[in-house]
């Protein structure tokens, strides 16, 4: 749609990078605001967590992507260098981000479960903004469709040109924003025990991702039997989220 927003000399602003940055900044701002309001951490607590989680998430999402294309890498190891700035698996980023956040909280001696609850709405918000960047860039595109709401990409380096496709990126963004509202209300209003909001996030995101995968048209994401890599992982993350929710609700206050 609009992969490049504008250029100033040799400097080009790409829509995907800009929306990703806006998503991260929005998540950090919201997380900082909520952590201060709830007395969770001092100034800069969520900022430091966000930086650590982004680094850990990036590394894990890239590693999982490389795993999905191992045959290509085995045939030509240069593919690793060629895909350093492209090709990510969101589930890898989530898993890596959560693990990094756990280590961060251990180092800071803060409550990981309350931090997870505080961060969950912010992460959903960032994902929604980021998916708009996917739409503008044309990546993560949908299957061909004859429907009235299909979109046609003309200048994308990812989506096929001139083919009407399901705007799955916008559907995903809408679900992410709806998830953000749900999680934010739970964080602010509910009496759930610590860790429960984070568990709900894992469940809702995983279920949504599993269903949306049926409408994805990009084929470079790997597969496990009849399931895509993300669907296969989603089965286990739903179970993990449900187990976490059950365990946290049964835990002592």
């Amino acid at each position: 749609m609009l992969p490049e927003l504008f250029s100033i000399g040799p400097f080009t602003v790409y829509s995907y990078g800009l929306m990703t940055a806006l998503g991260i900044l929005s998540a950090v701002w919201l997380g900082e605001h909520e952590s201060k309001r709830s007395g969770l951490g001092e100034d800069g607590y969520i900022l430091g967590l966000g930086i650590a989680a982004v680094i850990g998430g990036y590394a894990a999402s890239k590693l999982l992507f490389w795993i999905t294309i191992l045959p290509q890498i085995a045939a030509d190891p240069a593919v690793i260098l060629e895909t350093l700035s492209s090709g990510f698996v969101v589930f890898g980023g989530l898993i890596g981000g959560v693990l990094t956040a756990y280590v961060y909280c251990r180092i800071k001696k803060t409550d990981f479960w309350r931090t997870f609850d505080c961060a969950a709405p912010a992460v959903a918000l960032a994902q929604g903004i980021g998916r708009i960047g996917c739409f503008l860039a044309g990546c993560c595109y949908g299957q061909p469709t004859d429907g009235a709401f299909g979109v046609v990409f003309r200048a994308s380096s990812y989506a096929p040109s001139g083919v009407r496709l399901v705007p799955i990126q916008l559907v995903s963004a809408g679900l992410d924003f709806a998830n953000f509202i749900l999680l934010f209300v739970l964080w602010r209003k509910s009496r759930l025990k610590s860790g429960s909001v984070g568990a709900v996030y894992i469940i809702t995101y995983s279920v949504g991702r599993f269903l949306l995968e049926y409408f994805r048209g990009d084929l470079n994401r790997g597969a496990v039997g009849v399931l895509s890599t993300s669907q296969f992982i989603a089965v286990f993350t739903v179970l993990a989220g449900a187990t976490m929710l059950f365990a946290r609700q049964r835990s002592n206050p």
Side-chain angles (χ1 to χ4, degrees):
M1 279 294 170
L2 190 63
E4 297 182 8
L5 294 178
F6 59 87
S7 297
I8 302 177
F11 180 74
T12 300
V13 175
Y14 294 93
S15 55
Y16 179 82
L18 177 63
M19 297 307 294
T20 299
L22 288 176
I24 293 173
L25 291 174
S26 298
V28 170
W29 175 85
L30 178 63
E32 281 284 328
H33 179 273
E34 291 302 306
S35 67
K36 292 177 185 176
R37 187 192 66 82
S38 61
L40 180 60
E42 72 279 2
D43 286 348
Y45 174 68
I46 294 296
L47 175 60
L49 174 69
I51 293 173
V54 166
I55 295 173
Y58 174 87
S61 65
K62 178 56 62 179
L63 178 61
L64 188 54
F65 173 75
W66 283 334
I67 291 174
T68 66
I69 60 170
L70 275 179
Q72 297 180 41
I73 294 175
D76 182 13
V79 169
I80 293 178
L81 295 178
E82 295 171 357
T83 58
L84 278 176
S85 61
S86 64
F88 302 94
V89 176
V90 173
F91 268 120
L94 293 178
I95 294 171
V98 170
L99 292 177
T100 305
Y102 177 77
V103 174
Y104 180 87
C105 291
R106 294 281 291 184
I107 294 173
K108 289 287 187 177
K109 295 181 173 59
T110 52
D111 188 336
F112 167 74
W113 295 113
R114 287 192 66 212
T115 300
F116 194 6
D117 288 345
C118 178
V123 172
L125 175 63
Q127 287 177 314
I129 297 173
R131 282 303 183 190
I132 295 176
C134 290
F135 177 73
L136 294 174
C139 62
C140 307
Y141 53 88
Q143 293 182 352
T145 180
D146 295 325
F149 295 101
V151 296
V152 178
F153 293 90
R154 302 292 183 186
S156 172
S157 299
Y158 308 98
S161 180
V163 179
R164 184 175 293 273
L165 304 171
V166 175
I168 198 65
Q169 308 98 321
L170 297 182
V171 176
S172 181
L175 291 178
D176 286 329
F177 290 135
N179 201 22
F180 157 67
I181 294 172
L182 169 65
L183 296 169
F184 189 74
V185 170
L186 289 177
W187 160 251
R188 279 287 189 97
K189 305 296 184 181
S190 75
R191 295 178 180 269
L192 294 172
K193 293 181 180 178
S194 62
S196 298
V197 177
V200 170
Y201 164 74
I202 293 175
I203 296 170
T204 53
Y205 177 78
S206 299
V207 171
R209 183 60 186 269
F210 185 94
L211 296 175
L212 289 176
E213 282 289 296
Y214 285 114
F215 302 95
R216 289 278 292 267
D218 48 331
L219 302 176
N220 63 338
R221 293 168 292 114
V224 180
V226 297
L227 301 177
S228 71
T229 301
S230 292
Q231 286 178 318
F232 180 76
I233 296 173
V235 172
F236 296 97
T237 52
V238 166
L239 293 175
T243 301
M244 183 188 303
L245 181 60
F246 179 76
R248 297 309 300 169
Q249 285 300 103
R250 287 179 60 86
S251 66
N252 292 325

